[in-house]
Amino acid sequence: MRRSLKAALAASLLAAIASAPAQAQQKPDEVLALRKGVFQVIKSSFGPMAGFADGKVQLDAARIAVLGARLSAVAPMAGEVFPAGSEKVEGSKAKPEIWSKPDDFKAKMTAFQTAAAKLADAAKAGNLDGVKAAVPDVGKACKACHDDFKEK
Ligand code: ASC
């Protein structure tokens, strides 16, 4: 293949990828797998820190820093795994209110991300008292969203 043609094809492919709305090409089972995966990462990061704050789980500062970084890295994805058109994905506990009350959903996601970032900052600094202090707001943010937007 001619070099210029190759370059043109590569450029048009990149342009197509860049202009496609996020996840537009995802199949329903991929949407659900990613959604569940994101929340599994959140749970497996926050859960141990919540246990630590409750005195039920032993963790050292290095591990807490890893978990905090992981939580705050993936937290922004939580709002991205409910794309338009995925309202009726089979096997999901997502309530229709996610799409019918987008401002409320977004506000609760933002509150979660803010709380997660605060927890991650304390974790990164090795401030274990700060971690303990920051855990409840993250838990409340999880619950606030689940109460309104997740089926039991
Ligand atoms: C967790 C977890 C949740 C939240 C929620 C907080 O560790 O898996 O869904 O905390 O229970 O209320």
Side-chain angles (χ1 to χ4, degrees):
M1 203 185 289
R2 273 176 37 231
R3 196 178 173 78
S4 58
L5 182 57
K6 249 190 197 170
L9 279 175
S12 67
L13 184 64
L14 277 178
I17 292 169
S19 66
Q23 302 169 5
Q25 276 89 359
Q26 276 190 321
K27 300 188 190 93
D29 58 333
E30 291 173 336
V31 171
L32 188 61
L34 182 59
R35 187 181 297 164
K36 287 186 176 228
V38 163
F39 284 96
Q40 277 300 125
V41 173
I42 290 169
K43 180 177 181 163
S44 67
S45 308
F46 178 61
M49 290 191 283
F52 170 79
D54 280 349
K56 292 177 186 153
V57 177
Q58 303 274 316
L59 295 174
D60 61 21
R63 182 64 188 158
I64 288 173
V66 169
L67 295 173
R70 192 167 292 165
L71 175 68
S72 63
V74 83
M77 277 187 82
E80 295 175 7
V81 291
F82 303 90
S86 69
E87 290 87 338
K88 296 199 162 74
V89 172
E90 192 146 354
S92 174
K93 291 183 180 169
K95 284 190 181 175
E97 283 78 6
I98 290 173
W99 294 273
S100 64
K101 297 179 180 169
D103 293 345
D104 188 17
F105 182 65
K106 196 161 188 268
K108 291 201 162 80
M109 278 293 172
T110 301
F112 163 61
Q113 287 152 17
T114 302
K118 209 171 157 193
L119 174 56
D121 284 348
K124 187 177 179 184
N127 174 5
L128 299 184
D129 287 337
V131 167
K132 287 177 187 168
V135 158
D137 278 350
V138 177
K140 278 180 211 154
C142 295
K143 186 175 183 318
C145 212
H146 291 173
D147 284 350
D148 289 353
F149 297 111
K150 187 186 177 195
E151 301 285 1
K152 297 280 174 294

